[in-house]
Amino acid sequence: MYPHRKLLTQGPIAQVRAVGEPRARVVTDRPQDAARVLRGLGLTDIVVEPGVAMGTLGALIAEKVVVALVHDGVPVTGFAVERPSLEDLFVSLTGEGFNVSG
């Protein structure tokens, strides 16, 4: 039925989501400064939005991020480690988004 399709991954949802790299999400009123600290720590794929800086942790322990931010005087009002959504994983595995327009 789908001659050019292949199975990319399978398993329980938790196992599939564990494939994605965890991201640090820093809520601050100085996201540019937070992004500078994240880069200095070696985080990749840095994204800066109003009030938020995010980056892929890689092998870095999340606690070190908060310590570095505080040490550099960057105020942190929120911090979380996030895993990619199933949609993000789908796009990263297939290179395609969803066409929901019908």
Side-chain angles (χ1 to χ4, degrees):
M1 183 172 187
Y2 299 104
H4 296 51
R5 304 289 182 174
K6 66 180 180 175
L7 181 64
L8 298 173
T9 188
Q10 73 177 26
I13 290 176
Q15 180 182 350
V16 171
R17 288 192 73 201
V19 170
E21 294 271 351
R23 294 181 57 80
R25 175 178 169 71
V26 179
V27 180
T28 179
D29 60 359
R30 292 176 31 205
Q32 293 293 341
D33 292 332
R36 176 185 44 76
V37 172
L38 297 179
R39 280 187 199 92
L41 290 169
L43 276 72
T44 59
D45 303 318
I46 305 295
V47 175
V48 178
E49 298 174 351
V52 177
M54 297 175 280
T56 302
L57 279 168
L60 187 67
I61 298 170
E63 290 81 359
K64 290 189 176 193
V65 174
V66 176
V67 170
L69 290 162
V70 171
H71 182 265
D72 277 22
V74 178
V76 178
T77 57
F79 181 82
V81 175
E82 301 173 343
R83 289 270 180 198
S85 69
L86 289 175
E87 181 178 356
D88 292 338
L89 288 171
F90 176 85
V91 171
S92 71
L93 289 169
T94 65
E96 301 176 4
F98 292 101
N99 181 0
V100 294
S101 63

